[in-house]
Amino acid sequence: MAADDVCAGEEVSAAEQVRTVLAAADSFTVVTDGHTCDLVGGGLHSVGGRLLLRVPADCRLAGEVALAPRGTLPVVLKFTDVAPVAVRDRVRSRVTVAGWLAPQGAPGCEESGTVTFRTVTAHVALETPAGPVTVGLDELALARPDVLALHEAAVLTHLVDDHADVVALLTRLVDPRLLQGVVRVWPLAMDRRGITLRLEHPHSHRDVLLPFPAPVRDPGHAGDRVRELLAAARARRRGSRLPSRP
């Protein structure tokens, strides 16, 4: 991916990327000295002023925290941001949170057979195709997830499953020189800035951001921004048609 392919309008900080990944994740991996487990399903974590985990009160992780010295358990949480559509190299980024788990609230406050732990964070790292970066805790505390974090997957899968013609139309906004040799195009990502298309060549790929006319400030306005992009694509007199995905 060329750096200038994805630069347009507002920049997205590493801290915002981390918050977006955490907000959208419905699964993650917990690593302790004792074992590794995958937690899958909505409602298992929340991100506010502090990252909270909710797990079954009788699970092994809960037992490890209960037996840990001073009630805090060293832990590493691993989140993987996977593209919701079947592009090549679907992992868009990885987030690693290292620190300690501690009970949230007094013992006996469990509800519905679950227990909540707070994460005392010591280190946060973000890994993207551009490389790894350490994210400052103060910066992370001030950052907010992208406004479309919880809506992106549904929109992109809807485009791929039901509106392949729309994806083809959007390629008219791509520099024609970048389309030479392209065999397939997928919508890779969508955030407040625009839609990122992945241009797949036989043995490589390139990601290109199509910026919205204005950033999305409210999820309810995302449809308007997409329609504005499509109107701009229709207005282009010159464009390249690509083969439909199989």
Side-chain angles (χ1 to χ4, degrees):
M1 180 193 307
D4 56 351
D5 287 343
V6 294
C7 294
E10 299 184 1
E11 292 298 321
V12 178
S13 69
E16 181 182 335
Q17 292 181 64
V18 169
R19 290 297 298 265
T20 298
V21 171
L22 297 185
D26 59 6
S27 65
F28 55 98
T29 299
V30 181
V31 181
T32 70
D33 288 338
H35 79 302
T36 298
C37 64
D38 295 319
L39 298 181
V40 180
L44 291 176
H45 76 290
S46 61
V47 186
R50 177 167 287 175
L51 177 61
L52 301 178
L53 305 188
R54 284 182 291 274
V55 301
D58 59 353
C59 74
R60 180 171 174 176
L61 180 61
E64 285 191 67
V65 176
L67 295 175
R70 296 180 297 277
T72 59
L73 179 72
V75 68
V76 175
L77 309 178
K78 298 182 178 182
F79 296 80
T80 302
D81 174 30
V82 179
V85 299
V87 298
R88 179 191 294 141
D89 295 337
R90 292 183 67 176
V91 175
R92 301 185 296 190
S93 64
R94 300 180 191 273
V95 172
T96 302
V97 179
W100 298 267
L101 285 185
Q104 174 75 0
C109 292
E110 298 86 352
E111 298 180 0
S112 304
T114 65
V115 60
T116 301
F117 299 120
R118 70 181 187 277
T119 303
V120 182
T121 304
H123 178 82
V124 177
L126 171 70
E127 183 179 352
T128 69
V133 61
T134 298
V135 180
L137 300 185
D138 291 340
E139 182 185 6
L140 188 63
L142 295 173
R144 295 293 179 268
D146 187 88
V147 67
L148 298 180
L150 301 181
H151 306 273
E152 178 203 28
V155 174
L156 295 186
T157 54
H158 179 64
L159 281 177
V160 169
D161 293 341
D162 302 317
H163 296 286
D165 57 324
V166 169
V167 178
L169 180 59
L170 288 173
T171 62
R172 296 186 183 183
L173 298 175
V174 178
D175 185 334
R177 294 171 295 181
L178 300 181
L179 295 173
Q180 295 185 16
V182 170
V183 297
R184 190 165 52 183
V185 175
W186 300 87
L188 173 70
M190 184 177 73
D191 59 23
R192 70 175 189 277
R193 301 174 303 155
I195 295 177
T196 298
L197 297 182
R198 170 154 290 177
L199 312 181
E200 290 190 354
H201 296 262
H203 305 291
S204 63
H205 59 262
R206 177 190 293 265
D207 300 337
V208 178
L209 173 66
L210 305 181
F212 292 134
V216 177
R217 302 301 184 191
D218 182 281
H221 297 156
D224 295 335
R225 295 291 180 263
V226 173
R227 284 187 285 272
E228 290 168 353
L229 270 187
L230 293 175
R234 293 187 183 97
R236 285 284 180 95
R237 294 184 177 181
R238 300 177 63 184
S240 299
R241 291 186 177 274
L242 292 168
S244 301
R245 66 183 181 91

